[in-house]
Amino acid sequence: MLGGIATLGLSGCAPGTQTVKLAPDTEQIEERERAEPGELALRVVDRRPREIFGYRDEGGGVTLSGDRDLSEAVGDGLAEAFERQGIAVTEWDGEAERRLEVEIFTFHYQRAGGFLNRRASLSSEWVVSGHIDGERYSSEARVRTETRALFGPSEAKNEELVNQVLSRGVRQVATQKDLLRLLEDET
């Protein structure tokens, strides 16, 4: 019986699988008003080899993932960011005069360190390509963040890390000067 209690006590300390809320923040993107809003057909494609972001405890198979599809969260964030700048996002049309595709190649969470000194990092790479009124457009977004925690990081801290990376990636794509110049150029 004592062995069962010890096992129960130890299992209570094991980290659980975490599913964090994906909510990119676009509040820092400057709002712009345009006499006639532009339009942009947008598609976000998740090219990662697996759905999880990474492992909180790789040896134990304990994962970190999002509460919804990553491409959906990025697409929603980008739509909001573009709309704040007077550009209406429309359904994807591969033949649209103004179209943009964002491919997510990495969104990788890694935790390292011992019991009392843990470090968590998260990095992501996106490739952006499109056609705006006959001109080709391409860029990349690369984002990385890291934190240290004595016992964690906690689920709240992991959610903060994930949303920092999402928000920064969205901001990099939606505020890129060459893209905005093309989108603002009325032909």
Side-chain angles (χ1 to χ4, degrees), residues 4 70 160 162 170 173:
L70 182 61
E160 181 183 320
V162 166
V170 163
V173 171

Side-chain angles (χ1 to χ4, degrees), residues 62-127:
V62 182
T63 61
L64 177 69
S65 61
D67 67 338
R68 60 185 174 138
D69 186 68
L70 182 61
S71 60
E72 177 187 335
V74 171
D76 289 349
L78 285 169
E80 187 176 312
F82 283 122
E83 287 171 7
R84 288 180 66 85
Q85 300 175 93
I87 301 160
V89 171
T90 63
E91 291 290 322
W92 175 252
D93 176 357
E95 300 299 317
E97 288 294 318
R98 293 173 166 221
R99 62 188 185 272
L100 192 69
E101 181 176 67
V102 178
E103 297 174 283
I104 306 166
F105 283 95
T106 63
F107 200 88
H108 182 69
Y109 173 88
Q110 184 173 11
R111 197 182 86 175
F115 180 67
L116 294 177
N117 184 15
R118 295 188 178 152
R119 178 177 46 87
S121 62
L122 184 66
S123 59
S124 189
E125 295 178 14
W126 306 352
V127 173

Side-chain angles (χ1 to χ4, degrees), residues 42-186:
L42 177 68
R43 175 167 68 176
V44 178
V45 181
D46 187 353
R47 301 270 187 224
R48 298 173 305 133
R50 60 184 187 199
E51 289 185 18
I52 63 169
F53 302 149
Y55 292 92
R56 294 186 59 237
D57 175 11
E58 191 164 6
V62 182
T63 61
L64 177 69
S65 61
D67 67 338
R68 60 185 174 138
D69 186 68
L70 182 61
S71 60
E72 177 187 335
V74 171
D76 289 349
L78 285 169
E80 187 176 312
F82 283 122
E83 287 171 7
R84 288 180 66 85
Q85 300 175 93
I87 301 160
V89 171
T90 63
E91 291 290 322
W92 175 252
D93 176 357
E95 300 299 317
E97 288 294 318
R98 293 173 166 221
R99 62 188 185 272
L100 192 69
E101 181 176 67
V102 178
E103 297 174 283
I104 306 166
F105 283 95
T106 63
F107 200 88
H108 182 69
Y109 173 88
Q110 184 173 11
R111 197 182 86 175
F115 180 67
L116 294 177
N117 184 15
R118 295 188 178 152
R119 178 177 46 87
S121 62
L122 184 66
S123 59
S124 189
E125 295 178 14
W126 306 352
V127 173
V128 183
S129 59
H131 293 277
I132 311 296
D133 299 326
E135 288 192 50
R136 289 183 178 269
Y137 172 79
S138 65
S139 69
E140 292 182 358
R142 294 175 186 254
V143 184
R144 179 174 171 75
T145 192
E146 184 175 298
T147 189
R148 293 185 182 274
L150 189 58
F151 293 106
S154 66
E155 185 170 351
K157 189 61 174 177
N158 280 332
E159 185 169 284
E160 181 183 320
L161 286 173
V162 166
N163 286 307
Q164 277 179 0
V165 168
L166 283 176
S167 300
R168 289 176 187 167
V170 163
R171 195 166 39 251
Q172 277 186 31
V173 171
T175 63
Q176 211 288 326
K177 289 180 183 179
D178 289 341
L179 176 61
L180 291 177
R181 179 188 53 77
L182 289 172
L183 291 171
E184 290 173 355
D185 185 27
E186 297 295 328

